[in-house]
Amino acid sequence: MTLEIKFLGPWQVLAGEEPVRFTGGRRIGVLARLALDAGQTVRATRILTDIWGDGSAATAAKQLHIVISKLRETLGPHTDGEIIQTMPGGYRLALDPDRVDAHLFGRLAKRARAAQAQGARGTADALFRTALKLWRGDPLAELTAPWARIEAARLDEEHHTVLEDHADLRLAAGDHHALAADLAAHVRAHPLRERPAAQLMLALHRAGRSSQALAVYRDIRHIMVAELGIEPSAALRRLHQAVLAKDPALDLTTPAQQVTLGEPYVPAELPADTHAFTARTAEIDCLREALDPVQGAAVTVIDGPGGIGKSALTIHVAHAVAARFTDGVIYLNLHGSTPGMDPLTPAQALRHLLRSLGLDGTAVPADPGEAAARYRSLTAACNLLVILDNARDVRQVRPLIPAGPGCRVLITSRDPLATLDHARHLHLGTLNAADAAELLSRLAGPGRVRAEPEAAERIVHLCDGLPLALRIAGARLAARPDRPLADLAARLADATRRLDVLEYADLAVRASIAVSHHHLHEDPVGNAAARLLPLLGLLGLPTHTPAVAAALTGWSLHRAEAALERLEDARLLESAGPDRYQLHDLVGLYARERAHQDLTEEERTAAVQGALHHYLTTVWAASTMLSDAGLRSPVEPPGTAFEDVAQAEGWIRAERDNLLAATRQALSGPDPATAVSLAIGLHWPFCYQGWHTQLADIYAQAIDAADRIGAWQDKAQLRSFLGWVHRDQGRYEPAIAELETALTDWDRAGLPRRKIGALNNLGVVNTIIGRLDEALACLESALELNDDAERPAAAATIRNNRVHVYYRQGRFEEAIAEARQVVDLSEKAAYPLADAGIAHGSLGDAYRHAGRLPEAAESYATAVRLLGESGYRLKEAVSRWWFGATLHGLGRHGEAREQWEHSVRLLRDARLLTPREATEILTQDVPETPHPIRHML
C-alpha cells in the first residue's frame, strides 16, 4: 500500500483511503521534515536543530531515535518495506516524491511552464489547474517552529507565483472575463503584490471594465504609500497610464491569440430535477453539509423504503451543488431494486464509471480488480461528485467509492448499508401533512386543490405521506383534468381498492403509466405510439431510434419517427439526443408487461426478430464497407445503408451500446444463428475503432451458441476473433490457446484452408512475444494454405506480418524487400485503403528498424493518409505514433510533436485514453508509447 503525505493544507497522512493517526508534535515535525526532502537523506543534526532546537544535545539524539522508531511502528503496517531508512549521518524517507503533495505541486508547475514555453497552452492550462487543486489551505499549519514557518512562507510564495503564472497564460488566451473574478480575491488577500494587481487591471480593461481597473491601481497605490511610504513600480505606473489612454497595445494583438484552453473531460450526467420537488428542508441541509468540501463526509447513504423519494432528493441537492465539483458529476443507476432487471455487478458498474471518466475499449481493464484500481487512480486527485442510485448492498458499492479526498459520493438504497466504511447516513421518512398537501397541489394544480380542500385533505391522509403514492394520485388527477378530486378520494377510501391504486412498487407504477398510455388512443399518431410502446419494451436497448422502431413495427421511417415523438410528448419516452430516445426503467417494465398481455408470442417474436435483423443487416453493411477481410455476409445488406465510410463509421459510433445490447439479447434468445452472425458482424467495425476488446464475453457466448447448432465454421471464426481480442489485451497465452483451438474447429468444419486467419494471428502473437521462429512457421503455414489467385489480399496480409518477424530477427534487407513487394501488390491490385495503408506502415517500420529514417518517414506519410481515408482509426493512431518517432530521430521535432499529438487525439476521441492521460503523455519530451497500442504491430 502506498502512503500519501499532504501538508498543503491540514496535515494528512493516508494509506490508501485510510487516514493514519499520529500523536505528538515532534513525530509530525520529524515526518514533515523528512517529507520535504522525500527520497533524499536528511542529516540528523538538521532534524535535531529544526525540531529540538539543539543539534548537539545527547538527550535530543536519543529522543530522535525514539521518534523514528515510533514513526516506523505507525507507518510500517501500511508499507511493504522500511519507510524511514537509516543512512550514514541521517535518515531518508523512502517515498516517491510525487506522493507528497508539495513535491507533486512543484513538478506539475514545472511541467506546466515547460508546456507553455513550447506553445502547448491547453496542456499547460490543464497542468496548472491540476497543480493548484492540490492546495487545501495554509501549508504546514500545525507546525509553529521557525523552520516550519520558513518552509511555509516558501511554499506560499511558490503557490502565489504559480497562480500568477497561470493568470499570465489565461490572459494570453483571452480568458480575461473569468480571470478577473478569480484574481479579485487573490489581490484582496495580498494587497502589496504588484504582479496580480497588474494582471487584474489588464483583465478588467480587456473585459471592458476600465474604471474598475483604475480603481485597482488607486487601491494598491494608497496601501503602498500608507504602509510602505513608496510609490508603485514604474511598470505598474506605465500600465495605469496605458489604461487611462486606452492604449491599443493592451489588447490582444490578434484573434489567433484567443484560443480555447483545454479543459479535462468533465462529466455532467445528472438527470433533470423535478419541477414539483417539495419540502425535505432538513434533509436538504443535511446533504449540503455532507457535501461540504472541508467538513463533509466522503460517502453519504440515503436509505428508506421504495417510493419515499430518495432519488428525487439526491438529484435535487446535487443540482444545487454541482458547480462546486470542478471535475464533474457522474450519475449511475445500479438497478439494485429495479423490477425485472438484474443489479449491475461491480465490474459492470466500474465499466460505466470508467467510461464516464473518459475511458473506453482497451483502456478499460478486463479484470475487475484492475478496473477498480484504475478507477481509484483516475479519481485520486479529482474534485468529483458520484451518485450511485438504487444500490443493492454494500458488496455492490464498495469498489465504486472514488479515491480522491476532494470526491463526494451520494448513495441511495433501500438497504441502510450500515457496514459501509466511513459513511454518513440519512434515513428518509414520510412527509408530514402540510408538506404532502403542498406536493399534491403542485402536481394537480393549486386551483383544483383550493376548489376542493376537503377532498385534497382526504387524499393526503389516505396516501399516508408517501411521496410516490402522492405522485401517482397527482398524475391521475393531472391526466383527468375533468374529474373532481372527490372521485379519487372516494376510490382511495375503499380499503379493498386502495392497494390496487397505491401499491408502491409494480401496481402503483403500472397504474400511473397506464393512464398516459391510455390517453395515447385519442388521435391517429397517438394510436400508433400506443402500439409502439409495448414493442419497445421487448428490446433491452439503452436507446431507441426511428430505424429500430420501424424495424419493430414494419412501418415507414416517417411513421415510426412520429410515434416516437408522440411518446416523448406523453413523457413515456425521454430524449437521449437527436433522433434518439430512452425508456425509463419503470416505463420499460410496464411496456414489457403490456407486450406480453396484448401481443401473441408470434407477434412478439416477429417484432424482436425485425429489430435484430435491422442491426444484423446494417452492421454487416458497415463491416463490408470498412473491410474486405473475406467474411461473407449471412444476410443481404440494405442497398443504401451508407453512402461512404464516414457515414458507416458515424453509425457505428452512435449505435455502439445498442449493438452490444442487441447482440447480448440475441444470444439469450431463441435464434442462435442470428446471434452468432451479429457477433461476427461486430468484429471489423469495432476493431476499426479499437473497441473490439469489449467483445470478449460476446465471442465466448457466441462460441457456445455456434456449438449448440453445429455451426463449426462460425465457431472457428469466433475463436479466431477471441484470440485476437486476448492478443490486443496483452493476454498472450489465452490468445494462443483460442487460436490453436480455432485451427481444430476449422478442420472439424471441413474447411482446412480457412485456417489461414488463425495461423496469421498466431504468427502475430508469437512475433509480439518474441517467439520469432514459431511466428515464421505459422505465417509460412498460412501462406501454403492460401490460394494467392483466389485471395491475394490474404497473402499480402500474411506477408506484411512476416515483415515484422524479419526486422525483429535483424534481417533488415529481407524485411524491406518483403514490405516493398506487399506495397506493390496493394497498388497493382487496388486493395482497400486500409490494407494499403497498413502495408505502407509496415514498410515504414522496416525502414525505421534498419535506421533508414528518411525512407521510413516517406512510407509513414503515405500510411497515415490512406488509413485516415479508410476510417481505420486504431491503425492510423499506430502509424502516426511511429511516424512521430521517426521524425524525432531526424531532428524534425516540431513535426514529430504534431504526429504524436494527432495519434493521441485519435486514441482520446475513441475513448481509449482519458484527456488527463493524453495530457500526461504529451507533456513528456519524448513520450512513452500509449498503452492502447503497445501490444500492436
Side-chain angles (χ1 to χ4, degrees):
M1 184 180 297
T2 303
L3 287 170
E4 291 182 79
I5 298 177
K6 301 183 178 185
F7 46 75
L8 299 182
W11 173 263
Q12 282 187 336
V13 178
L14 299 176
E17 300 177 10
E18 300 292 331
V20 180
R21 306 296 180 188
F22 287 88
T23 58
R26 284 178 174 170
R27 294 181 192 178
I28 294 175
V30 170
L31 185 57
R33 177 72 271 175
L34 292 171
L36 281 165
D37 294 290
Q40 304 295 320
T41 299
V42 181
R43 298 195 64 79
T45 53
R46 174 72 180 273
I47 300 173
L48 290 169
T49 299
D50 286 346
I51 308 304
W52 275 265
D54 184 355
S56 60
T59 56
K62 184 176 181 180
Q63 291 172 21
L64 172 59
H65 179 75
I66 293 171
V67 168
I68 293 291
S69 297
K70 291 296 183 182
L71 287 172
R72 288 169 175 165
E73 183 180 313
T74 301
L75 299 175
H78 308 290
T79 59
D80 296 328
E82 189 171 64
I83 187 67
I84 300 178
Q85 299 173 346
T86 300
M87 308 297 289
Y91 298 95
R92 174 180 177 271
L93 181 66
L95 186 66
D96 182 351
D98 277 358
R99 308 307 292 182
V100 179
D101 59 357
H103 290 288
L104 179 59
F105 171 76
R107 187 175 67 84
L108 290 170
K110 181 178 179 181
R111 288 170 50 202
R113 292 177 179 124
Q116 184 178 5
Q118 295 169 5
R121 287 184 179 170
T123 297
D125 176 64
L127 288 166
F128 274 131
R129 292 177 188 273
T130 302
L132 290 168
K133 284 178 186 176
L134 295 172
W135 283 79
R136 299 169 292 112
D138 294 332
L140 297 169
E142 293 82 355
L143 300 174
T144 59
W147 73 271
R149 293 303 87 213
I150 292 170
E151 291 292 343
R154 177 184 63 80
L155 291 168
D156 267 331
E157 182 59 29
E158 288 183 10
H159 183 204
H160 300 330
T161 301
V162 170
L163 190 150
E164 292 157 14
D165 287 348
H166 187 211
D168 280 340
L169 173 70
R170 295 173 66 184
L171 279 169
D175 192 26
H176 38 266
H177 290 283
L179 179 62
D182 294 343
L183 272 178
H186 180 57
V187 170
R188 285 194 300 271
H190 307 283
L192 294 175
R193 292 183 72 88
E194 292 195 17
R195 184 185 181 194
Q199 291 169 330
L200 179 56
M201 288 174 65
L202 185 56
L204 289 168
H205 173 73
R206 288 180 178 173
R209 298 157 62 186
S210 296
S211 62
Q212 295 177 45
L214 295 171
V216 171
Y217 178 81
R218 288 195 298 271
D219 289 344
I220 191 171
R221 180 181 181 277
H222 174 76
I223 293 172
M224 293 183 73
V225 170
E227 295 189 12
L228 303 179
I230 60 173
E231 290 286 338
S233 67
L236 194 60
R237 295 198 302 273
R238 284 194 298 271
L239 176 60
H240 175 237
Q241 291 300 317
V243 173
L244 281 170
K246 295 184 171 53
D247 189 340
L250 297 182
D251 299 329
L252 289 174
T253 57
T254 66
Q257 282 184 283
Q258 301 187 41
V259 300
T260 300
L261 295 180
E263 293 284 354
Y265 179 81
V266 179
E269 301 178 351
L270 272 179
D273 200 359
T274 174
H275 74 282
F277 189 87
T278 305
R280 303 291 193 194
T281 303
E283 291 88 347
I284 290 172
D285 290 341
C286 179
L287 288 184
R288 291 180 73 106
E289 180 183 343
L291 294 173
D292 184 87
V294 178
Q295 303 297 327
V299 180
T300 302
V301 177
I302 303 96
D303 73 87
I308 206 66
K310 303 180 294 294
S311 299
L313 170 66
T314 301
I315 291 167
H316 180 73
V317 172
H319 273 283
V321 301
R324 185 189 302 165
F325 294 89
T326 55
D327 289 313
V329 181
I330 295 177
Y331 172 88
L332 177 59
N333 188 341
L334 297 173
H335 298 299
S337 302
T338 304
M341 295 190 68
D342 293 330
L344 293 185
T345 65
Q348 291 170 328
L350 283 166
R351 282 197 291 271
H352 281 277
L353 291 169
L354 288 171
R355 282 169 53 188
S356 293
L357 291 168
L359 290 187
D360 217 333
T362 54
V364 177
D367 178 72
E370 293 177 7
R374 190 72 179 279
Y375 174 64
R376 291 193 297 272
S377 175
L378 288 175
T379 58
C382 283
N383 176 227
L384 182 72
L385 175 59
V386 179
I387 297 174
L388 303 175
D389 198 12
N390 197 5
R392 179 63 176 271
D393 53 34
V394 170
R395 289 188 298 273
Q396 186 187 35
V397 300
R398 187 170 279 131
L400 314 182
I401 306 302
C407 297
R408 295 290 182 266
V409 185
L410 296 179
I411 306 173
T412 71
S413 179
R414 297 185 184 185
D415 189 299
L417 307 182
T419 61
L420 190 63
D421 299 332
H422 311 298
R424 185 176 297 183
H425 294 267
L426 174 64
H427 177 77
L428 287 194
T430 55
L431 297 175
N432 60 40
D435 290 337
E438 176 62 20
L439 176 56
L440 182 65
S441 176
R442 292 194 180 189
L443 292 166
R448 296 176 70 186
V449 170
R450 285 195 299 269
E452 298 182 74
E454 292 181 0
E457 183 178 355
R458 188 68 174 156
I459 291 171
V460 167
H461 173 73
L462 292 170
C463 286
D464 199 26
L466 186 68
L468 179 58
L470 289 160
R471 290 182 182 280
I472 293 167
R476 288 179 177 242
L477 293 170
R480 296 286 195 274
D482 56 329
R483 287 192 179 181
L485 271 64
D487 179 75
L488 179 59
R491 286 188 289 140
L492 287 170
D494 183 352
T496 63
R497 302 176 61 191
R498 191 183 312 153
L499 291 179
D500 292 335
V501 178
L502 295 181
E503 179 71 24
Y504 77 90
D506 289 352
L507 288 177
V509 172
R510 187 184 301 116
S512 175
I513 299 173
V515 172
S516 299
H517 192 204
H518 175 73
H519 282 296
L520 290 172
H521 293 285
E522 295 175 357
D523 59 81
V525 175
N527 268 318
R531 182 180 171 190
L532 174 60
L533 180 64
L535 296 173
L536 292 176
L538 293 171
L539 298 177
L541 303 180
T543 59
H544 299 278
T545 63
V548 170
L552 267 173
T553 56
W555 298 340
S556 68
L557 194 65
H558 174 75
R559 186 183 180 191
E561 187 174 17
L564 287 167
E565 289 177 351
R566 183 69 180 85
L567 285 171
E568 184 186 12
D569 291 340
R571 299 297 182 261
L572 292 170
L573 278 182
E574 300 172 358
S575 174
D579 292 326
R580 194 169 293 275
Y581 302 88
Q582 186 175 20
L583 271 174
H584 189 278
D585 294 340
L586 299 177
V587 178
L589 174 61
Y590 168 82
R592 285 192 291 276
E593 290 178 346
R594 294 308 316 172
H596 283 276
Q597 292 175 17
D598 299 343
L599 304 174
T600 65
E601 183 176 353
E602 291 76 14
E603 289 173 322
R604 297 194 301 271
T605 300
V608 172
Q609 283 300 101
L612 295 179
H613 193 265
H614 157 73
Y615 278 116
L616 180 62
T617 57
T618 315
V619 78
W620 273 94
S623 182
T624 53
M625 177 164 282
L626 291 170
S627 173
D628 182 20
L631 296 177
R632 290 188 175 88
S633 173
V635 290
E636 185 66 30
T640 57
F642 305 111
E643 294 179 0
D644 51 31
V645 166
Q647 195 178 65
E649 185 182 12
W651 183 82
I652 290 296
R653 286 177 175 269
E655 289 281 31
R656 181 196 59 181
D657 292 345
N658 281 344
L659 284 165
L660 291 170
T663 306
R664 290 190 172 99
Q665 181 168 351
L667 286 165
S668 63
D671 184 5
T674 295
V676 168
S677 297
L678 261 173
I680 294 174
L682 293 180
H683 178 76
W684 281 109
F686 273 53
C687 190
Y688 267 48
Q689 300 299 325
W691 302 334
H692 55 296
T693 52
Q694 291 189 355
L695 300 177
D697 63 324
I698 285 178
Y699 287 155
Q701 293 178 54
I703 288 168
D704 292 339
D707 187 62
R708 291 197 301 272
I709 59 176
W712 303 114
Q713 178 177 342
D714 291 335
K715 183 179 177 182
Q717 185 64 73
L718 287 162
R719 283 203 183 278
S720 187
F721 287 163
L722 183 55
W724 187 327
V725 169
H726 288 324
R727 179 198 79 193
D728 286 354
Q729 289 178 329
R731 304 176 67 231
Y732 300 121
E733 294 307 322
I736 291 172
E738 290 293 343
L739 292 167
E740 289 178 343
T741 306
L743 298 177
T744 304
D745 287 342
W746 283 120
D747 286 332
R748 190 169 184 179
L751 297 167
R753 297 180 68 83
R754 294 291 301 278
K755 293 192 290 187
I756 295 167
L759 285 166
N760 180 60
N761 270 325
L762 277 169
V764 172
V765 175
N766 280 305
T767 300
I768 292 171
I769 62 179
R771 300 175 184 171
L772 300 181
D773 291 340
E774 292 92 328
L776 209 53
C778 290
L779 296 173
E780 296 292 349
S781 297
L783 282 172
E784 290 172 5
L785 287 173
N786 189 62
D787 185 335
D788 290 359
E790 180 182 343
R791 296 187 64 192
T797 298
I798 299 164
R799 294 180 64 185
N800 181 76
N801 289 328
R802 192 162 61 181
V803 170
H804 298 281
V805 180
Y806 285 161
Y807 67 68
R808 280 172 165 80
Q809 290 178 325
R811 299 159 64 180
F812 300 120
E813 294 307 316
E814 292 175 79
I816 292 169
E818 183 82 321
R820 281 175 174 166
Q821 291 182 37
V822 175
V823 167
D824 290 343
L825 283 173
S826 71
E827 293 173 349
K828 291 176 183 176
Y831 288 169
L833 291 175
D835 291 348
I838 291 170
H840 280 279
S842 294
L843 178 56
D845 292 339
Y847 278 134
R848 178 168 57 85
H849 282 82
R852 296 166 61 175
L853 299 187
E855 294 101 317
E858 184 178 349
S859 295
Y860 284 131
T862 304
V864 299
R865 176 179 59 80
L866 294 172
L867 290 166
E869 293 174 7
S870 76
Y872 203 156
R873 303 300 174 212
L874 189 59
K875 281 292 188 181
E876 182 187 353
V878 174
S879 286
R880 285 194 182 277
W881 189 263
W882 297 120
F883 190 11
T886 302
L887 292 169
H888 189 273
L890 289 168
R892 295 157 62 181
H893 295 164
E895 295 172 80
R897 174 63 54 173
E898 290 177 7
Q899 293 301 322
W900 284 331
E901 288 177 351
H902 200 149
S903 176
V904 167
R905 186 162 60 250
L906 287 168
L907 296 173
R908 184 196 62 202
D909 291 347
R911 305 187 75 180
L912 300 177
L913 288 174
T914 68
R916 193 186 301 268
E917 289 173 321
T919 298
E920 283 280 344
I921 290 170
L922 293 176
T923 53
Q924 302 170 31
D925 290 337
V926 181
E928 295 179 2
T929 306
H931 55 80
I933 61 176
R934 285 177 190 164
H935 305 302
M936 302 188 67
L937 295 181

